[in-house]
Amino acid sequence: QVQLVESGGGLMQAGGSLRLSCAASGLAFSSYTIGWFRQAPGKKREFVGGITASGNSTYYAGSVNGRFTISRDNAKNTVYLQMNSLKREDTAVYYCAAKGYEVNVMPGAYSYWGQGTQVTVSS
């Protein structure tokens, strides 16, 4: 049974930092691309960024580029999302998701999803 479990969310003031983790089990983790998505109330789920299976390539949405960094530790079956210079508009539930092959910005391209972790940024 595949499981993706996000952790590390919480309440942070604008300008602060948080690091989210996505721990995976039940799949050949080092063969999967991992994407991070977020969904704010009343909005569609949107792509935040992704990292290829090897970790050699990362991709980011324009809204977070330069502020967020994705990394992975395949020995620990874990992917990280380091979020710096947080803004109120970063408030959302953050999800990690797994797929084979290339990073894709469309949520429907991903096979497995975590349950999400809430990030709230206050001014």
Side-chain angles (χ1 to χ4, degrees):
Q1 180 182 358
V2 175
Q3 278 195 314
L4 300 176
V5 180
E6 302 94 338
S7 61
L11 176 64
M12 177 57 64
Q13 286 190 328
S17 297
L18 280 174
R19 189 177 80 157
L20 306 185
S21 298
C22 170
S25 60
L27 76 171
F29 182 74
S30 61
S31 298
Y32 281 81
T33 284
I34 301 296
W36 283 97
F37 292 79
R38 66 186 182 186
Q39 189 166 16
K43 295 189 176 182
K44 292 182 179 180
R45 192 167 297 189
E46 65 173 358
F47 176 78
V48 173
I51 187 166
T52 54
S54 65
N56 288 340
S57 297
T58 52
Y59 304 85
Y60 300 96
S63 59
V64 306
N65 196 27
R67 299 189 297 122
F68 290 11
T69 302
I70 299 173
S71 61
R72 68 189 294 160
D73 185 341
N74 284 345
K76 295 183 178 180
N77 284 9
T78 301
V79 170
Y80 305 98
L81 176 64
Q82 177 68 43
M83 306 187 295
N84 298 330
S85 302
L86 283 163
K87 304 177 181 180
R88 285 193 64 185
E89 51 264 43
D90 294 321
T91 295
V93 177
Y94 283 72
Y95 301 88
C96 63
K99 68 181 297 294
Y101 305 107
E102 302 301 319
V103 173
N104 194 301
V105 302
M106 299 301 295
Y110 290 77
S111 302
Y112 306 107
W113 288 84
Q115 83 290 347
T117 186
Q118 176 71 48
V119 171
T120 303
V121 183
S122 64
S123 57

PDB file of all heavy atoms in Angstrom, residues 11-17 84-90 120-123:
ATOM      1  N   LEU A  11       1.562  27.507  11.512  1.00  0.00           N
ATOM      2  CA  LEU A  11       1.310  28.948  11.430  1.00  0.00           C
ATOM      3  C   LEU A  11       2.637  29.687  11.476  1.00  0.00           C
ATOM      4  O   LEU A  11       3.468  29.429  12.350  1.00  0.00           O
ATOM      5  CB  LEU A  11       0.421  29.386  12.593  1.00  0.00           C
ATOM      6  CG  LEU A  11       0.137  30.879  12.724  1.00  0.00           C
ATOM      7  CD1 LEU A  11      -0.647  31.384  11.519  1.00  0.00           C
ATOM      8  CD2 LEU A  11      -0.622  31.152  14.021  1.00  0.00           C
ATOM      9  N   MET A  12       2.819  30.599  10.535  1.00  0.00           N
ATOM     10  CA  MET A  12       4.072  31.350  10.470  1.00  0.00           C
ATOM     11  C   MET A  12       3.759  32.784  10.079  1.00  0.00           C
ATOM     12  O   MET A  12       2.823  33.039   9.316  1.00  0.00           O
ATOM     13  CB  MET A  12       5.014  30.708   9.448  1.00  0.00           C
ATOM     14  CG  MET A  12       6.332  31.417   9.231  1.00  0.00           C
ATOM     15  SD  MET A  12       7.296  31.626  10.747  1.00  0.00           S
ATOM     16  CE  MET A  12       7.614  29.917  11.156  1.00  0.00           C
ATOM     17  N   GLN A  13       4.551  33.697  10.572  1.00  0.00           N
ATOM     18  CA  GLN A  13       4.393  35.091  10.176  1.00  0.00           C
ATOM     19  C   GLN A  13       4.991  35.304   8.790  1.00  0.00           C
ATOM     20  O   GLN A  13       5.913  34.593   8.372  1.00  0.00           O
ATOM     21  CB  GLN A  13       5.080  36.018  11.171  1.00  0.00           C
ATOM     22  CG  GLN A  13       4.337  36.167  12.472  1.00  0.00           C
ATOM     23  CD  GLN A  13       4.916  37.278  13.330  1.00  0.00           C
ATOM     24  OE1 GLN A  13       6.111  37.532  13.296  1.00  0.00           O
ATOM     25  NE2 GLN A  13       4.054  37.952  14.094  1.00  0.00           N
ATOM     26  N   ALA A  14       4.456  36.283   8.095  1.00  0.00           N
ATOM     27  CA  ALA A  14       5.006  36.643   6.789  1.00  0.00           C
ATOM     28  C   ALA A  14       6.491  36.961   6.919  1.00  0.00           C
ATOM     29  O   ALA A  14       6.911  37.617   7.883  1.00  0.00           O
ATOM     30  CB  ALA A  14       4.254  37.830   6.212  1.00  0.00           C
ATOM     31  N   GLY A  15       7.255  36.478   5.953  1.00  0.00           N
ATOM     32  CA  GLY A  15       8.693  36.657   5.980  1.00  0.00           C
ATOM     33  C   GLY A  15       9.440  35.503   6.609  1.00  0.00           C
ATOM     34  O   GLY A  15      10.670  35.408   6.484  1.00  0.00           O
ATOM     35  N   GLY A  16       8.729  34.654   7.290  1.00  0.00           N
ATOM     36  CA  GLY A  16       9.334  33.522   7.952  1.00  0.00           C
ATOM     37  C   GLY A  16       9.552  32.338   7.028  1.00  0.00           C
ATOM     38  O   GLY A  16       9.310  32.420   5.817  1.00  0.00           O
ATOM     39  N   SER A  17       9.989  31.227   7.629  1.00  0.00           N
ATOM     40  CA  SER A  17      10.307  30.014   6.863  1.00  0.00           C
ATOM     41  C   SER A  17       9.660  28.784   7.494  1.00  0.00           C
ATOM     42  O   SER A  17       9.459  28.739   8.715  1.00  0.00           O
ATOM     43  CB  SER A  17      11.827  29.791   6.813  1.00  0.00           C
ATOM     44  OG  SER A  17      12.474  30.844   6.149  1.00  0.00           O
ATOM     45  N   ASN A  84      10.841  29.775   2.133  1.00  0.00           N
ATOM     46  CA  ASN A  84      11.395  30.986   2.743  1.00  0.00           C
ATOM     47  C   ASN A  84      10.612  32.208   2.289  1.00  0.00           C
ATOM     48  O   ASN A  84       9.862  32.157   1.309  1.00  0.00           O
ATOM     49  CB  ASN A  84      12.867  31.138   2.355  1.00  0.00           C
ATOM     50  CG  ASN A  84      13.721  29.994   2.840  1.00  0.00           C
ATOM     51  OD1 ASN A  84      13.443  29.377   3.871  1.00  0.00           O
ATOM     52  ND2 ASN A  84      14.775  29.699   2.094  1.00  0.00           N
ATOM     53  N   SER A  85      10.805  33.300   3.000  1.00  0.00           N
ATOM     54  CA  SER A  85      10.136  34.566   2.656  1.00  0.00           C
ATOM     55  C   SER A  85       8.647  34.352   2.409  1.00  0.00           C
ATOM     56  O   SER A  85       8.086  34.791   1.400  1.00  0.00           O
ATOM     57  CB  SER A  85      10.791  35.176   1.404  1.00  0.00           C
ATOM     58  OG  SER A  85      12.165  35.390   1.608  1.00  0.00           O
ATOM     59  N   LEU A  86       8.017  33.678   3.342  1.00  0.00           N
ATOM     60  CA  LEU A  86       6.610  33.332   3.180  1.00  0.00           C
ATOM     61  C   LEU A  86       5.737  34.580   3.082  1.00  0.00           C
ATOM     62  O   LEU A  86       5.990  35.600   3.734  1.00  0.00           O
ATOM     63  CB  LEU A  86       6.149  32.454   4.336  1.00  0.00           C
ATOM     64  CG  LEU A  86       6.605  30.990   4.245  1.00  0.00           C
ATOM     65  CD1 LEU A  86       6.460  30.307   5.600  1.00  0.00           C
ATOM     66  CD2 LEU A  86       5.807  30.258   3.185  1.00  0.00           C
ATOM     67  N   LYS A  87       4.693  34.451   2.270  1.00  0.00           N
ATOM     68  CA  LYS A  87       3.728  35.523   2.068  1.00  0.00           C
ATOM     69  C   LYS A  87       2.341  35.028   2.458  1.00  0.00           C
ATOM     70  O   LYS A  87       2.085  33.821   2.480  1.00  0.00           O
ATOM     71  CB  LYS A  87       3.708  35.948   0.596  1.00  0.00           C
ATOM     72  CG  LYS A  87       5.059  36.370   0.042  1.00  0.00           C
ATOM     73  CD  LYS A  87       4.951  36.689  -1.434  1.00  0.00           C
ATOM     74  CE  LYS A  87       6.298  37.094  -2.018  1.00  0.00           C
ATOM     75  NZ  LYS A  87       6.198  37.404  -3.469  1.00  0.00           N
ATOM     76  N   ARG A  88       1.443  35.958   2.722  1.00  0.00           N
ATOM     77  CA  ARG A  88       0.085  35.560   3.086  1.00  0.00           C
ATOM     78  C   ARG A  88      -0.530  34.687   1.992  1.00  0.00           C
ATOM     79  O   ARG A  88      -1.267  33.745   2.286  1.00  0.00           O
ATOM     80  CB  ARG A  88      -0.782  36.783   3.324  1.00  0.00           C
ATOM     81  CG  ARG A  88      -0.510  37.475   4.642  1.00  0.00           C
ATOM     82  CD  ARG A  88      -1.592  38.483   4.957  1.00  0.00           C
ATOM     83  NE  ARG A  88      -2.890  37.845   5.155  1.00  0.00           N
ATOM     84  CZ  ARG A  88      -4.009  38.522   5.349  1.00  0.00           C
ATOM     85  NH1 ARG A  88      -4.005  39.836   5.333  1.00  0.00           N
ATOM     86  NH2 ARG A  88      -5.137  37.874   5.549  1.00  0.00           N
ATOM     87  N   GLU A  89      -0.225  34.999   0.742  1.00  0.00           N
ATOM     88  CA  GLU A  89      -0.813  34.232  -0.355  1.00  0.00           C
ATOM     89  C   GLU A  89      -0.268  32.809  -0.468  1.00  0.00           C
ATOM     90  O   GLU A  89      -0.735  32.035  -1.296  1.00  0.00           O
ATOM     91  CB  GLU A  89      -0.628  34.967  -1.684  1.00  0.00           C
ATOM     92  CG  GLU A  89       0.790  35.412  -1.958  1.00  0.00           C
ATOM     93  CD  GLU A  89       1.025  36.865  -1.561  1.00  0.00           C
ATOM     94  OE1 GLU A  89       0.565  37.296  -0.476  1.00  0.00           O
ATOM     95  OE2 GLU A  89       1.707  37.570  -2.352  1.00  0.00           O
ATOM     96  N   ASP A  90       0.704  32.463   0.355  1.00  0.00           N
ATOM     97  CA  ASP A  90       1.179  31.076   0.403  1.00  0.00           C
ATOM     98  C   ASP A  90       0.298  30.218   1.303  1.00  0.00           C
ATOM     99  O   ASP A  90       0.490  28.992   1.369  1.00  0.00           O
ATOM    100  CB  ASP A  90       2.621  31.026   0.921  1.00  0.00           C
ATOM    101  CG  ASP A  90       3.613  31.673  -0.028  1.00  0.00           C
ATOM    102  OD1 ASP A  90       3.465  31.511  -1.256  1.00  0.00           O
ATOM    103  OD2 ASP A  90       4.543  32.358   0.475  1.00  0.00           O
ATOM    104  N   THR A 120      -0.342  28.185   7.183  1.00  0.00           N
ATOM    105  CA  THR A 120      -1.037  29.459   7.338  1.00  0.00           C
ATOM    106  C   THR A 120      -0.005  30.544   7.603  1.00  0.00           C
ATOM    107  O   THR A 120       0.807  30.423   8.513  1.00  0.00           O
ATOM    108  CB  THR A 120      -2.050  29.411   8.490  1.00  0.00           C
ATOM    109  OG1 THR A 120      -2.981  28.358   8.256  1.00  0.00           O
ATOM    110  CG2 THR A 120      -2.795  30.729   8.606  1.00  0.00           C
ATOM    111  N   VAL A 121      -0.036  31.578   6.789  1.00  0.00           N
ATOM    112  CA  VAL A 121       0.914  32.686   6.915  1.00  0.00           C
ATOM    113  C   VAL A 121       0.137  33.921   7.326  1.00  0.00           C
ATOM    114  O   VAL A 121      -0.800  34.334   6.635  1.00  0.00           O
ATOM    115  CB  VAL A 121       1.669  32.930   5.605  1.00  0.00           C
ATOM    116  CG1 VAL A 121       2.697  34.051   5.797  1.00  0.00           C
ATOM    117  CG2 VAL A 121       2.346  31.655   5.126  1.00  0.00           C
ATOM    118  N   SER A 122       0.526  34.488   8.447  1.00  0.00           N
ATOM    119  CA  SER A 122      -0.152  35.681   8.949  1.00  0.00           C
ATOM    120  C   SER A 122       0.693  36.915   8.678  1.00  0.00           C
ATOM    121  O   SER A 122       1.920  36.845   8.586  1.00  0.00           O
ATOM    122  CB  SER A 122      -0.418  35.539  10.442  1.00  0.00           C
ATOM    123  OG  SER A 122       0.807  35.474  11.146  1.00  0.00           O
ATOM    124  N   SER A 123       0.017  38.053   8.597  1.00  0.00           N
ATOM    125  CA  SER A 123       0.741  39.295   8.326  1.00  0.00           C
ATOM    126  C   SER A 123       1.182  39.943   9.613  1.00  0.00           C
ATOM    127  O   SER A 123       0.772  39.537  10.702  1.00  0.00           O
ATOM    128  CB  SER A 123      -0.142  40.251   7.540  1.00  0.00           C
ATOM    129  OG  SER A 123      -1.327  40.505   8.247  1.00  0.00           O
TER     130      SER A 123
END
